[in-house]
Amino acid sequence: MKNNIKEEQQPQKQEFLFEGINYKILLIGIGVITLGFILMSGGGSDNPNVFNEDVFSFRRIRLAPTTVLIGFGITIYSIFKKSK
C-alpha cells in the first residue's frame, strides 16, 4: 500500500513525440511552405475590368507551387525521420 502512494507522488517525466532535430526540420518545412505562399500572392488589379497578365507569370505558376510541394516534402521527412 505504501509503495503505491510513493509511485503516484513522483512526478512523471514528460517525453516529446520527436527529438529536437525533427522539430527543427519541421519548422524549416513550414518556413518553405510559407515562402511558397508568399511567392503566390499579389498580381491583382485595382480595376476589375482590366486584365493583368502578371497572374500567369513563371513565379506564380511554376516556382511557388513547386516551393510549396518541396516544403510539404520536408515536413513529411521530418515526421518520418527516425531518432537515433
Side-chain angles (χ1 to χ4, degrees):
M1 183 92 172
K2 291 183 180 182
N3 289 339
N4 291 341
I5 294 173
K6 285 185 178 181
E7 290 176 8
E8 291 176 8
Q9 292 176 352
Q10 293 177 349
Q12 293 182 354
K13 184 179 177 183
Q14 183 178 357
E15 295 182 21
F16 290 107
L17 186 60
F18 300 117
E19 289 188 359
I21 188 70
N22 294 76
Y23 289 111
K24 290 176 186 176
I25 296 171
L26 182 70
L27 288 175
I28 291 169
I30 290 172
V32 171
I33 293 170
T34 305
L35 175 67
F37 279 107
I38 290 171
L39 289 173
M40 266 190 244
S41 67
S45 176
D46 294 333
N47 186 356
N49 296 325
V50 176
F51 181 72
N52 190 356
E53 286 287 331
D54 200 29
V55 173
F56 298 113
S57 67
F58 172 79
R59 186 184 84 190
R60 290 190 181 90
I61 296 296
R62 304 282 179 171
L63 183 64
T66 304
T67 306
V68 171
L69 289 176
I70 290 170
F72 282 130
I74 292 171
T75 57
I76 290 170
Y77 172 76
S78 73
I79 292 170
F80 286 130
K81 182 177 181 333
K82 290 187 179 184
S83 58
K84 293 182 181 179

